[in-house]
């Protein structure tokens, strides 16, 4: 039987979000209803609100979530009611050419729930952010979007792996393939950038250089594992990174801003045959221009990181275990906990750089 719950929607471009009653249908084949316990406020949600991703308003926002499976539809075997899960937005198909060649983290046919949640007042269909829509007491997802993890972990920290923290850690470990003794630079020290720093630290990087224009963020980056910091408002970051790496540049440079200017800094701040990883999300109108000879002459690799190139079934349980062992402090990413009706204020604090992560607790 369909249920009515509270959820946060973005009704139109740049309009304030509002709390509405939404209808969550019973799960169909391959689907699950999850009782959401916590959901992080991610910059991607703000992009949705601003119309920067699509114009399929109204959006049901929220996607960095953890909770408990309430019910499942026909054919679901991997999760069951009562399972504590982290939600992900790339449920792999297992059939596409990437999956069949053993690279499911590149799945080219990821999917979400087929049924739609709706507004109770009008019956209008909602577009769930990243196919999740977890700023709600309950949400409907594809069962493959649910990853079981150790239930002893706090939902407040577990949910962060659903997007930003996983994207950053994965950019370092999976995409950048940071290794022991490497030098790493991270440009942009928001939630994703700090997660990349934590990932590089986990991988055994010898030197981790954090770059940002905000001294508050650089101080936080040090607490995440950065060994050096550069305020790029005051210092040329390319020259600073070269100076800190013996004049060569970093082995891996992770761009966590998503702007042409900072991407060029990353490109020129890497060593010969080094790697650049783009994990910051650009907007559609942005263009990049680089001398082709420089692309050729510097060698190495220019990579984009999709969701940290993660495989949720592999990476989420591993990172939760590291957290429970005290080797990865996921709690350090949580600046504040809030209620559903405080999401709009959280966006304002995010815009001003006052928080690393606000987390909605239900």
């Amino acid at each position: 039987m369909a249920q009515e719950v509270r959820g946060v929607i973005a009704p139109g471009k740049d309009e304030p979000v509002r709390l509405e009653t939404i209808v969550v249908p019973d799960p169909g084949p391959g689907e699950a209803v999850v009782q959401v316990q916590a959901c992080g406020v991610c910059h991607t949600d703000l992009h949705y609100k601003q119309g920067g991703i699509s114009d399929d308003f109204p959006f049901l926002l929220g996607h960095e979530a953890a909770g408990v499976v309430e019910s499942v539809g026909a054919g679901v075997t991997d999760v069951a009611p009562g399972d504590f899960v982290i939600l992900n937005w790339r449920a792999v198909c297992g059939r596409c050419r990437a999956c069949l060649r053993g690279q499911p983290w590149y799945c080219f046919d990821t999917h979400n729930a087929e049924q739609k949640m709706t507004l109770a007042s009008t019956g209008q269909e909602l577009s769930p952010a990243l196919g999740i829509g977890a700023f709600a007491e309950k949400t409907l997802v594809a069962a493959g979007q649910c990853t079981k993890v150790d239930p002893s972990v706090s939902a407040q920290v577990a949910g962060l792996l659903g997007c930003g923290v996983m994207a950053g850690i994965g950019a370092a470990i999976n995409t950048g393939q940071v290794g022991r003794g490497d030098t790493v630079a991270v440009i942009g020290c928001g939630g994703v950038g700090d997660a990349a720093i934590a990932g590089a630290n986990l991988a055994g990087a010898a030197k981790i250089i954090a770059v940002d224009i905000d001294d508050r963020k650089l101080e936080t980056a040090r607490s995440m594992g950065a060994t050096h910091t550069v305020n790029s408002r005051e210092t040329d970051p390319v020259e600073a990174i070269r100076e800190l790496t013996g004049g060569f540049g970093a082995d891996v440079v992770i761009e966590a801003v998503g702007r042409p200017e900072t991407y060029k800094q990353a490109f020129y701040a890497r060593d010969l045959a080094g790697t650049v990883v783009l994990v910051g999300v650009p907007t559609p109108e942005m263009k990049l221009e680089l001398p082709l000879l420089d692309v050729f002459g510097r060698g190495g690799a220019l990579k984009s990181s999709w969701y940290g190139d993660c495989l949720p079934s592999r990476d989420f349980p591993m990172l939760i275990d590291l957290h429970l062992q005290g080797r990865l402090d996921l709690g350090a990413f949580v600046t504040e906990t809030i209620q559903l009706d405080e999401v709009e204020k959280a966006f304002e604090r995010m815009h001003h750089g006052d928080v690393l992560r606000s987390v909605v607790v239900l």
Side-chain angles (χ1 to χ4, degrees), residues 14-260:
D14 284 325
E15 293 182 27
V17 302
R18 60 180 189 241
L19 196 57
E20 294 273 2
T21 299
I22 65 171
V23 178
V24 181
D26 282 343
E31 297 176 341
V33 169
V34 175
Q35 183 176 1
V36 180
Q37 295 183 338
C39 184
V41 182
C42 176
H43 208 277
T44 302
D45 292 305
L46 183 57
H47 279 322
Y48 272 107
K49 176 193 168 186
Q50 295 170 333
I53 294 179
S54 79
D55 59 359
D56 294 332
F57 292 97
F59 292 109
L60 176 59
L61 299 179
H63 59 279
E64 285 187 348
V68 175
V69 175
E70 180 181 87
S71 57
V72 299
V76 175
T77 57
D78 289 341
V79 292
D83 286 342
F84 179 70
V85 297
I86 299 173
L87 300 183
N88 73 78
W89 44 271
R90 285 181 60 80
V92 302
C93 71
R95 300 179 301 274
C96 71
R97 59 196 185 281
C99 289
L100 292 177
R101 67 181 178 226
Q103 296 177 313
W105 49 90
Y106 290 140
C107 178
F108 301 138
D109 193 21
T110 57
H111 58 282
N112 307 128
E114 292 191 9
Q115 298 184 89
K116 290 288 188 179
M117 291 175 279
T118 58
L119 281 175
S121 58
T122 64
Q124 185 176 12
E125 291 188 349
L126 296 167
S127 300
L130 293 178
I132 294 177
F135 286 157
E137 293 162 330
K138 297 178 183 179
T139 190
L140 176 76
V141 294
Q145 293 178 264
C146 301
T147 303
K148 289 191 292 185
V149 296
D150 190 326
S152 65
V153 70
S154 162
Q156 296 177 26
V157 299
L160 300 183
L161 290 179
C163 187
V165 172
M166 185 68 254
I169 291 176
I173 294 177
N174 297 333
T175 315
Q177 297 182 329
V178 174
R180 292 187 299 274
D182 280 354
T183 57
V184 179
V186 177
I187 299 177
C189 297
V192 173
D194 280 347
I197 289 167
N201 192 37
L202 273 175
K207 188 173 289 184
I208 305 171
I209 305 163
V211 180
D212 203 280
I213 60 174
D214 188 331
D215 285 331
R216 297 174 302 169
K217 292 185 176 181
L218 291 173
E219 183 177 348
T220 301
R222 278 195 178 274
S223 72
M224 296 291 183
T227 58
H228 299 77
T229 60
V230 175
N231 187 319
S232 56
R233 193 188 296 277
E234 302 169 354
T235 306
D236 182 332
V238 176
E239 292 305 317
I241 291 168
R242 286 178 177 169
E243 184 177 343
L244 289 166
T245 54
F248 300 119
D251 297 308
V252 180
V253 184
I254 298 168
E255 201 278 4
V257 181
R259 295 190 60 84

Side-chain angles (χ1 to χ4, degrees), residues 251-332:
D251 297 308
V252 180
V253 184
I254 298 168
E255 201 278 4
V257 181
R259 295 190 60 84
E261 311 93 289
T262 44
Y263 187 88
K264 286 183 180 180
Q265 291 170 353
F267 179 83
Y268 287 110
R270 66 185 174 126
D271 197 357
L272 289 174
T275 298
V276 173
V277 176
L278 174 65
V279 67
V281 181
T283 53
E285 77 280 359
M286 291 179 179
K287 307 290 183 184
L288 178 67
E289 184 174 327
L290 285 169
L292 192 57
L293 184 59
D294 285 359
V295 176
F296 172 79
R298 298 182 69 81
L302 307 179
K303 296 183 174 182
S304 297
S305 187
W306 294 356
Y307 201 3
D309 289 337
C310 80
L311 183 61
S313 60
R314 173 195 66 195
D315 294 339
F316 288 3
M318 172 194 69
L319 293 173
I320 291 298
D321 286 347
L322 289 175
H323 170 70
L324 292 173
Q325 293 165 19
R327 297 166 62 189
L328 174 63
D329 185 6
L330 293 175

